[in-house]
Every structure is written in structure tokens, then in C-alpha cells.
Amino acid sequence: MQVRPHLGEGIASYIQRLAQANHLSPNELTAVLRPSGRTPDLHRLAQLTNSTVDALRRALPDAPGRVNTDPNRTGPFPQRVDRALPSLNDRVDLLLALGDALQNGVHRNALRRRFPQLNRRHIRLALQHQPRQHRPHHLK
């Protein structure tokens, strides 16, 4: 059974959901995806999920070989959002608004109205970079 990855979901979480959907233990699926080493083989995962390697790399932030990952980046937002919000006060306001949105289920369109300088993609990227917790469906 095929399972689509959630944007921003870790590869371990995705493998666990995929194994559960196919009535396997995560260890069994991991043994197939990691035959000789610690990193999962994205080509095998793409074949199992009927997806492309590029699509998996875009959706899974910790996928091996991902182009846009920067291990030195410590900020809560991707660089595109930082450039769209040059003021530190605006970024702090956005961070607080995202926390409120994730906790209380505020729709992302409300965030777009509150921060008109951000487009839909900026809001989605900012949400993806927040800590993974229980998110309402309309914010995934």
C-alpha cells in the first residue's frame, strides 16, 4: 500500500507509517531499505512507494542527498522567509503566530492576511520548519 510523505516529515517517521500501512514492522522495512549501511536507499524507497527520488528528497528534509539542507543553519525559518521578512521583530511575530496557529488550529490563510509580505509558499515553508508536533490537517 502506498503512503504519501507529509511535507517536512522525517524519513524515520515516514518509514514507520509506510510499514504500518503495509502490516510490517518498521525493522522489516528498514532491513529492506538499508541493506548495507546506515542511510536508507532512496531508490528502493522510491520503487516501493511508486514515487521519484527527487520527490522524496523534496518532501523528507533529512533524506540523504537532499540539495537544500544546510546543517549549519540554526534559525527557525528557511532563508527565503528570512529575506521576505528582513526585520527581526517581524520574524519574532511570525514565530509566535506560527506557534499559536499550530496550537490553536489557526488556518494558514489567516497567517497570510496577518503577514501580507509573505506569499503562500513562504507560509508553507515557515510551517514546515517548525518543530513537528500534532498539527491540524489544514496546516500540514
Side-chain angles (χ1 to χ4, degrees):
M1 184 167 199
Q2 296 174 3
V3 176
R4 292 181 59 196
H6 297 293
L7 287 174
E9 179 179 29
I11 195 162
S13 172
Y14 178 61
I15 289 172
Q16 185 175 7
R17 285 190 319 107
L18 184 64
Q20 185 178 22
N22 288 292
H23 306 287
L24 298 170
S25 74
N27 291 337
E28 291 172 328
L29 186 57
T30 302
V32 171
L33 296 174
R34 296 180 186 183
S36 62
R38 300 183 62 137
T39 60
D41 184 4
L42 281 185
H43 295 283
R44 286 186 182 191
L45 184 59
Q47 287 175 343
L48 289 174
T49 59
N50 197 23
S51 182
T52 64
V53 173
D54 290 334
L56 291 174
R57 283 189 178 134
R58 282 192 306 271
L60 303 169
D62 59 348
R66 184 173 168 144
V67 177
N68 293 330
T69 55
D70 184 3
N72 299 322
R73 180 142 178 87
T74 59
F77 302 122
Q79 291 177 352
R80 290 179 187 169
V81 176
D82 284 344
R83 283 193 302 266
L85 288 174
S87 166
L88 178 62
N89 290 334
D90 288 340
R91 288 194 299 256
V92 169
D93 287 344
L94 177 61
L95 188 60
L96 293 173
L98 288 172
D100 183 47
L102 291 172
Q103 189 173 25
N104 299 326
V106 176
H107 199 275
R108 60 182 169 237
N109 287 338
L111 293 171
R112 286 185 60 205
R113 285 190 294 275
R114 186 168 172 191
F115 297 94
Q117 63 271 42
L118 298 178
N119 62 28
R120 183 179 61 175
R121 182 177 172 91
H122 289 137
I123 295 291
R124 189 183 69 194
L125 286 170
L127 282 167
Q128 288 173 6
H129 279 74
Q130 299 312 300
R132 189 91 177 147
Q133 48 187 309
H134 174 69
R135 294 182 186 176
H137 178 70
H138 63 277
L139 289 174
K140 288 184 180 175

